[in-house]
Amino acid sequence: MRKFNTWVEHLSLSQQLFSLIFVFITFFCCFFFIYLNGNINEVIKSQAYSSLEREQETFRGLIENSDTTWQKLLLNGSLESTFQHFMITDANTSNPQLQIVANNAQQANEVISTDLLKHIEKSINQMDGADAKAFEYHGDNTTTYYRIMAITDDKWLLTLNDNKYQELLKDSLLSSVVNITVVVVGVFFVILMIWMAALIHPLNQIRNYIDKVKNGEDAQLKINRQDEIGALARALVDMRQELQRQEKTKEEMIHNISHDLKTPIATIKSYGESIKDGIYPYETLEKSVDVIINNADRLEKKVHSLLYLNRVEYLVSQDIEGALTDMNVVIDNVILSIKAIRDDVIIETDLQPEVFFTGLEESWRVAIENILENALRYAKSKIKIVLREDEVAISNDGPSMSEERIAALFKPFEKGQDGQFGLGLSIVAKVVHANGYTVSGENTSDGVIFRMSKVERKEKKETKRRAKDNKTA
């Protein structure tokens, strides 16, 4: 089975189409010659018996008259010439006599052979008192269908049809079936070809589009389809646009990184050269060295943030299945480490006990720390932390954010008014998303709030909201 699947995978769509047609034709031939041919023979047999019965029912009305009357009608050709009619008498004797009462009497010896006559005699003995019964006789190359109707105790009406009628009926049925099948197969083939062309053309467009994009050429893809191929084409276009956006972001990131690193490096270099020449750029040696140390600290934080930004995905990609973090412990430790930054800001907490988030403690510590540092930078007098199941909210009473700022809040190198590097909130977004949570920021009536929530929880809230709306309606 695996070899067959491999073989199919290496076929083009056109080759798969012709293979499918070949299998269909092969199946049809087997079906026709094995199954259908046998059924046609059964239909012919049933049709022959029905025709014999109708023919003898006609005779039934004629027999009610005198022999002379219906003999004359037969001689005038009032019945179908494909049927032969005979009157059998004394059939129980060893040598039954045939009395021909139908037209074509001169062909009696040719139609009824000795073997057929013996078969008829046995058939009469097998009627078991029945008024009429149909039989079949297989000769050398022909099959004869006949029907015997009892007239009196010693007289029977024999009606049979010749081989030409059977062959004509069979040829007619076979011809009809073959013609219908050829038409159906032809229509099916044309439909398949049109359908295949409708598939191959957009796929070739997609392939050419991918080749142009790969070679860096300007490419457009317009496929107006609503099926899976259309969805694939739109996904490719969206992917290219996203890649272009990411490439642009990457270029801006490199530019911003080089700019942010260049300033402290230039300061350190110039101050170091001045001190080496015995010149103190900032009044005294001690103050000048402090400037160098401050810029080195600034550079260290910048490099640390960059390294952690690239390290987040590695951390969450490790084998952390089942890893849980006690958020009460994380929040308490972060508050303890940063509350001395601004003594004038009060940090209030409303923490639900025993709340665990999915992920490593280190990543959540960095996320909470970056949001709190951002809140301390803008808060006027108060910060509040609320922890609930699958959600933590950190609000401050600082100034509201502009719509442009909210839209670019978690993008790398997007600095606020008093921001430093523009990496803190982008690190938060990476940590949160990698652990299966979402983060958002919004303005409130008295400041700004950041929420980190489990994705499943938002879906549950939406489901509950819709259920409530439906119930209200």
Side-chain angles (χ1 to χ4, degrees):
M1 188 64 183
R2 183 176 299 176
K3 291 183 179 180
F4 175 77
N5 291 336
T6 304
W7 176 75
V8 173
E9 290 172 357
H10 285 81
L11 295 178
S12 65
L13 288 177
S14 299
Q15 291 172 332
Q16 293 181 29
L17 172 63
F18 287 112
S19 299
L20 182 63
I21 294 175
F22 173 77
V23 171
F24 178 78
I25 294 176
T26 303
F27 171 78
F28 166 73
C29 292
C30 295
F31 171 80
F32 178 79
F33 289 107
I34 296 176
Y35 176 78
L36 191 61
N37 192 43
N39 283 353
I40 288 178
N41 290 331
E42 291 296 325
V43 171
I44 291 174
K45 181 178 178 180
S46 176
Q47 181 68 20
Y49 287 163
S50 299
S51 300
L52 288 169
E53 182 178 359
R54 288 195 302 270
E55 186 70 14
Q56 284 200 333
E57 289 298 326
T58 303
F59 266 92
R60 185 185 295 274
L62 295 174
I63 292 174
E64 293 177 356
N65 301 322
S66 63
D67 291 346
T68 303
T69 302
W70 55 269
Q71 285 181 2
K72 289 181 178 180
L73 290 173
L74 290 173
L75 292 174
N76 291 331
S78 61
L79 298 177
E80 297 182 25
S81 60
T82 56
F83 293 94
Q84 300 292 332
H85 306 279
F86 304 95
M87 187 67 70
I88 304 176
T89 60
D90 299 327
N92 291 324
T93 65
S94 59
N95 184 21
Q97 300 296 317
L98 288 177
Q99 179 183 355
I100 300 176
V101 296
N103 55 345
N104 297 326
Q106 68 275 13
Q107 299 179 3
N109 293 330
E110 297 179 4
V111 174
I112 303 179
S113 63
T114 304
D115 292 336
L116 176 56
L117 186 61
K118 292 179 179 179
H119 193 273
I120 292 172
E121 182 180 3
K122 292 180 181 178
S123 299
I124 294 176
N125 294 329
Q126 294 173 3
M127 290 182 63
D128 297 330
D131 291 338
K133 196 169 184 180
F135 301 92
E136 61 179 304
Y137 168 74
H138 299 283
D140 294 335
N141 296 317
T142 61
T143 299
T144 302
Y145 298 99
Y146 62 90
R147 191 170 189 266
I148 301 174
M149 176 186 291
I151 304 300
T152 62
D153 293 339
D154 59 350
K155 184 183 294 185
W156 291 267
L157 177 63
L158 169 66
T159 304
L160 55 83
N161 57 356
D162 56 21
N163 192 50
K164 294 180 180 179
Y165 176 80
Q166 302 167 22
E167 293 297 327
L168 181 63
L169 182 59
K170 184 174 182 179
D171 291 342
S172 177
L173 287 174
L174 289 177
S175 178
S176 299
V177 171
V178 170
N179 291 336
I180 293 174
T181 304
V182 169
V183 172
V184 171
V185 171
V187 172
F188 179 69
F189 178 77
V190 172
I191 293 175
L192 277 180
M193 291 298 296
I194 296 174
W195 178 64
M196 187 61 62
L199 288 180
I200 293 176
H201 178 66
L203 290 177
N204 287 333
Q205 286 183 288
I206 292 175
R207 184 184 63 184
N208 295 333
Y209 175 79
I210 293 175
D211 290 339
K212 288 183 179 181
V213 171
K214 181 176 64 177
N215 296 328
E217 303 175 10
D218 185 23
Q220 291 184 350
L221 182 61
K222 295 181 179 180
I223 297 179
N224 296 323
R225 298 174 65 111
Q226 302 302 320
D227 55 6
E228 288 79 359
I229 295 180
L232 174 62
R234 290 189 291 272
L236 287 173
V237 174
D238 293 341
M239 183 183 70
R240 186 194 180 200
Q241 293 175 351
E242 179 63 19
L243 290 175
Q244 289 176 337
R245 188 193 66 79
Q246 292 182 5
E247 184 67 23
K248 184 178 179 180
T249 302
K250 182 179 178 181
E251 293 176 357
E252 293 176 354
M253 182 184 300
I254 294 175
H255 174 75
N256 291 328
I257 289 174
S258 61
H259 180 270
D260 288 341
L261 294 180
K262 180 174 66 176
T263 300
I265 291 176
T267 301
I268 292 172
K269 182 178 180 181
S270 62
Y271 270 60
E273 290 176 349
S274 298
I275 293 174
K276 181 179 180 181
D277 295 335
I279 301 173
Y280 307 134
Y282 197 63
E283 297 180 358
T284 64
L285 174 61
E286 183 178 353
K287 291 183 178 180
S288 298
V289 172
D290 287 340
V291 173
I292 294 176
I293 293 173
N294 289 335
N295 280 274
D297 290 339
R298 177 181 174 87
L299 186 62
E300 181 183 19
K301 290 182 179 179
K302 182 74 171 181
V303 172
H304 176 75
S305 297
L306 287 172
L307 292 176
Y308 193 83
L309 183 65
N310 293 321
R311 188 168 171 248
V312 168
E313 293 183 359
Y314 167 77
L315 287 174
V316 298
S317 66
Q318 300 305 299
D319 186 13
I320 58 172
E321 182 178 357
L324 297 174
T325 296
D326 189 340
M327 295 303 292
N328 282 272
V329 175
V330 171
I331 292 173
D332 290 340
N333 291 337
V334 172
I335 292 175
L336 185 64
S337 63
I338 69 171
K339 67 178 182 179
I341 295 177
R342 287 188 60 182
D343 295 336
D344 57 324
V345 175
I346 299 174
I347 301 178
E348 297 180 357
T349 59
D350 181 7
L351 309 181
Q352 178 180 329
E354 297 184 358
V355 174
F356 296 87
F357 277 21
T358 303
L360 297 174
E361 181 177 345
E362 179 185 357
S363 61
W364 284 114
R365 182 189 61 78
V366 173
I368 299 296
E369 187 176 82
N370 286 348
I371 290 182
L372 276 179
E373 287 180 352
N374 182 82
L376 285 172
R377 192 176 302 120
Y378 296 101
K380 295 178 182 177
S381 60
K382 184 178 69 174
I383 293 175
K384 186 174 182 180
I385 305 174
V386 178
L387 176 63
R388 296 291 183 266
E389 182 182 0
D390 292 335
E391 182 177 273
V392 57
I394 301 176
S395 59
N396 66 81
D397 58 353
S400 299
M401 298 181 293
S402 64
E403 295 297 329
E404 293 79 7
R405 174 59 181 157
I406 293 177
L409 201 58
F410 300 102
K411 294 182 179 180
F413 303 103
E414 293 289 342
K415 297 181 182 179
Q417 182 177 356
D418 298 326
Q420 295 183 350
F421 308 117
L423 292 177
L425 293 181
S426 64
I427 291 176
V428 172
K430 273 206 168 187
V431 169
V432 169
H433 293 157
N435 285 320
Y437 292 74
T438 59
V439 60
S440 61
E442 58 185 76
N443 294 318
T444 61
S445 58
D446 58 351
V448 175
I449 187 170
F450 289 88
R451 303 180 189 276
M452 291 181 288
S453 306
K454 188 77 171 179
V455 176
E456 295 178 355
R457 175 167 182 167
K458 286 195 170 184
E459 293 175 352
K460 290 179 181 178
K461 284 184 176 181
E462 182 66 18
T463 302
K464 291 180 179 179
R465 184 188 65 78
R466 290 179 180 177
K468 184 178 180 180
D469 293 342
N470 294 334
K471 185 176 181 180
T472 303

